Amino acid sequence: MGEQAARDTRRLDPSWPTVAATTVRLWLERHGRGDKRTTRRHRGVLLLSALAAMALGALVTLAFTHAGQQKSPSTAASDAAASAAPSVNLLQIAAANRGQTAAWIAQQVLPGTVIGCDPEMCAALEAARVPAASLYVLQPTTPDPLNSAVVIATPAVRNQFGSRLASVYAPQLIASFGTGAERIDVRYVVPGGAAAFDNSLAPDRSGRIAAGKQLLNNKNVRVSTQARTALLAGNVDPRLLVTLSALAHKMPVQLVIFDDSSPGASSTVPLRGAEIGTTTPDGLSAMLAFLAAQRTPYLSAVHQLGKSVSGQSVVIVQFDAPGPLGLGGS
C-alpha cells in the first residue's frame, strides 16, 4: 500500500517542467489572440521574462525544500537527545543516591545489622564493603521486609510495599538521601510494629527528659545552651545519657554539643553523637580510656580527640544507628 500511495502522490503532484510547459502554452494562447501589431520579438521578450521568473520561483522553492530536508535529521536528533537527557539525568541521580546511602550505611549502621535492600541497592552496599551476610535481598516476590532490622526504601521498594512500608513495617526514618521520586530512605523495622512504636514514643521521650535533668543537676557537668536544650527536650540517645552519667561520676565534663550524622532523620530519632570537653589537664585522655573500656550496648562506635567549632580540644563520641528509643534499650 505504501508504494501505491507514493504513485498516487506522484500523479497528484506534477513535476516543475510540466507546470512550466503548461503555463507557457496558456500564455501563448492568450497573447496570440491579442494585438496583431505585437511583434514576434516583443512576444519573445515577454515569454523569456515569464520563463525567467518561473525559473527563479523554482530555484527558491527547491532551496527551501532542500533546507527543510537538511534540517529535518538534525532537528530529529536534537529532539531525541532532549528526550533522552532527562532519563540519563535520572539514572545519574539514582546512582548517586545509592552511593551516598551505601557509604552512610557502611560508616554509621551497627555491624551485623540485617539490612533489607533490593538487588541493585544490595550490590551498591557490597561495593561499599558491607558484608553480604548482613544483606537480606528483597525480591519482587518478597511479601514483607520483616526479616530485616533496617530496610532501605528505594523507589522500587516503596512501590513494592506501598504505604504499609512506613505505616506498618518500618515506621522510623533514620536517614534520607536525595529528593523527589529518586529519594532513598533508610528505615528502622521497629520490633512490635508501628502500633507499639507509636505507643512507646511519649514514655520513651519522658524517660530521656528525666535522665537529662539528672545530668543537669550533677555538679560535675557543665553544659552549653545547645546541650541544655537537647537534654530538656529528650533529644539525646539513651546510650549517651547512661554513658555521660557514669562518666560524670568519675570526672568533670563539659557538654559542648549534641549532634548526629543522620541526614533527613525523623524528629523521633535521638541525637547519638556529642563533643565532650573537660577542665582537668589529663581529663581528655582519662575520658578516652573510660569510653574504650565500655561494653555493648554502651561501647561507642567512635571515641577520639578532636576540635570543637571554637577550637576547644574535645572528645568526639558517636554511637551506631539505629539506636534504642528508651533507656531500657527498647
Side-chain angles (χ1 to χ4, degrees):
M1 291 183 65
E3 294 179 358
Q4 181 63 40
R7 285 195 294 269
D8 293 343
T9 302
R10 284 194 292 269
R11 284 198 296 268
L12 291 173
D13 298 329
S15 63
W16 180 257
T18 303
V19 172
T22 302
T23 304
V24 171
R25 177 175 57 80
L26 292 174
W27 188 89
L28 288 174
E29 290 177 356
R30 184 183 306 164
H31 288 77
R33 292 191 292 267
D35 189 356
K36 293 181 180 180
R37 290 175 297 178
T38 303
T39 64
R40 285 187 186 139
R41 182 177 179 182
H42 190 191
R43 283 202 303 259
V45 171
L46 291 175
L47 177 57
L48 289 174
S49 299
L51 288 174
M54 291 169 64
L56 179 61
L59 290 174
V60 172
T61 302
L62 288 173
F64 277 106
T65 301
H66 181 67
Q69 291 172 345
Q70 292 287 349
K71 182 180 179 181
S72 180
S74 62
T75 301
S78 177
D79 292 344
S83 62
S87 298
V88 173
N89 289 339
L90 288 178
L91 291 175
Q92 293 172 340
I93 291 170
N97 290 344
R98 284 194 301 273
Q100 291 175 9
T101 304
W104 185 87
I105 292 284
Q107 295 172 2
Q108 302 291 326
V109 172
L110 182 68
T113 301
V114 179
I115 302 167
C117 45
D118 64 45
E120 197 169 19
M121 187 68 235
C122 283
L125 288 169
E126 287 195 64
R129 299 191 176 182
V130 176
S134 297
L135 305 180
Y136 175 58
V137 182
L138 299 172
Q139 301 291 355
T141 56
T142 303
D144 58 60
L146 294 179
N147 286 338
S148 53
V150 168
V151 60
I152 303 181
T154 57
V157 170
R158 286 198 297 273
N159 290 337
Q160 181 172 345
F161 298 116
S163 61
R164 291 177 63 83
L165 182 63
S167 65
V168 177
Y169 304 131
Q172 190 179 49
L173 178 64
I174 61 175
S176 186
F177 301 88
T179 59
E182 300 304 320
R183 184 188 79 253
I184 296 178
D185 297 331
V186 182
R187 291 188 165 275
Y188 180 37
V189 182
V190 180
F197 171 74
D198 291 339
N199 291 334
S200 70
L201 286 177
D204 285 344
R205 185 176 290 276
S206 296
R208 297 194 300 269
I209 291 173
K213 288 180 177 179
Q214 287 182 357
L215 267 179
L216 292 173
N217 290 329
N218 191 313
K219 293 181 180 180
N220 269 349
V221 177
R222 295 174 58 187
V223 298
S224 67
T225 301
Q226 188 272 355
R228 178 181 296 275
T229 300
L231 288 169
L232 292 177
N235 289 341
V236 179
D237 188 289
R239 296 166 295 181
L240 257 178
L241 292 170
V242 173
T243 301
L244 290 172
S245 179
L247 184 62
H249 282 289
K250 292 183 174 293
M251 65 188 75
V253 296
Q254 294 177 326
L255 302 182
V256 178
I257 191 172
F258 291 106
D259 59 11
D260 205 340
S261 301
S262 304
S266 167
S267 60
T268 63
V269 178
L271 302 172
R272 51 190 175 84
E275 293 178 4
I276 311 168
T278 184
T279 56
T280 59
D282 60 345
L284 294 179
S285 58
M287 193 182 302
L288 284 174
F290 173 85
L291 293 172
Q294 301 308 299
R295 296 292 180 264
T296 303
Y298 303 111
L299 177 60
S300 57
V302 175
H303 41 271
Q304 62 189 28
L305 292 176
K307 295 285 187 180
S308 68
V309 173
S310 64
Q312 177 185 356
S313 294
V314 294
V315 167
I316 298 172
V317 57
Q318 182 173 291
F319 285 87
D320 284 315
L325 295 177
L327 293 174
S330 61

